Amino acid sequence: MAIVVSDTSAIAALVHLGLAPVLQSLFAEVFIPPAVAQELKSPRGPRPVVDVAEIQFIKVKAPSDAARVMQLRADLDAGESEAIVLAIELAADWILMDEDRGRRMAIDLGLQTTGVFGILVRAKRNGLIEAVLPLLDRLVREIEFRISTGLRDQVAKLAGE
């Protein structure tokens, strides 16, 4: 099983859907940096308030390279910057990130990315959930998660729906 570092959106979305334990089922270890923990506690918009101290399998760990975090902050927010640096430092198998700019930066730095949609597809393939599209629709409707028609069609195809 893999080590994963997560940004804010995937955890917020999975908590909203009542599916946070899916992360524990799919990955050996789940880490978030302190900036992500703070963003989860003080969400913008209709996302749920998440206190990661209540989710025992998620470990909060600060990246040690503060200079590299500050370098990334020129283009990314604090959570994305810390998550990318932490993923590099831990040699994480995956970084969970949904925002395009952050994903591109993570990929440019050699990280393998996935987001909440990839987690839901993987959860379905592993028999942890029955369907992906109704969950995507809930995220769009209930917490204003954005997904293009093309991406939705791609996710539907990957999920066999």
Side-chain angles (χ1 to χ4, degrees):
M1 295 239 284
I3 294 173
V4 67
V5 173
S6 185
D7 188 24
T8 308
S9 62
I11 292 174
L14 291 170
V15 166
H16 176 76
L17 295 171
L19 296 175
V22 164
L23 287 175
Q24 187 177 25
S25 298
L26 295 175
F27 302 105
E29 294 185 278
V30 179
F31 291 92
I32 63 169
V36 169
Q38 184 57 45
E39 289 173 4
L40 287 165
K41 273 188 171 181
S42 304
R44 287 178 279 165
R47 291 186 177 177
V49 173
V50 179
D51 182 356
V52 292
E54 297 174 4
I55 306 174
Q56 295 178 359
F57 64 88
I58 294 178
K59 299 171 185 150
V60 178
K61 182 172 178 54
S64 58
D65 191 344
R68 195 164 196 186
V69 170
M70 289 309 296
Q71 187 178 37
L72 292 177
R73 286 295 312 272
D75 296 309
L76 305 173
D77 72 22
E80 293 162 343
S81 300
E82 285 188 7
I84 288 171
V85 174
L86 183 60
I88 291 168
E89 291 175 356
L90 295 176
D93 298 286
W94 292 92
I95 185 165
L96 305 183
M97 191 167 287
D98 289 300
E99 196 270 325
D100 284 337
R101 196 170 8 164
R103 285 174 75 108
R104 283 194 305 270
M105 181 71 71
I107 290 166
D108 288 348
L109 292 170
L111 297 170
Q112 190 162 345
T113 66
T114 192
V116 69
F117 307 141
I119 295 300
L120 293 173
V121 168
R122 186 181 283 199
K124 181 179 178 186
R125 289 180 180 163
N126 284 281
L128 301 171
I129 61 174
E130 290 183 25
V132 173
L133 291 181
L135 299 172
L136 292 186
D137 293 341
R138 279 189 57 203
L139 292 174
V140 169
R141 187 175 61 250
E142 296 170 8
I143 63 170
E144 300 174 3
F145 218 88
R146 286 175 272 165
I147 182 170
S148 69
T149 303
L151 180 55
R152 188 180 191 284
D153 292 345
Q154 184 181 6
V155 171
K157 184 177 179 179
L158 288 170
E161 298 178 25

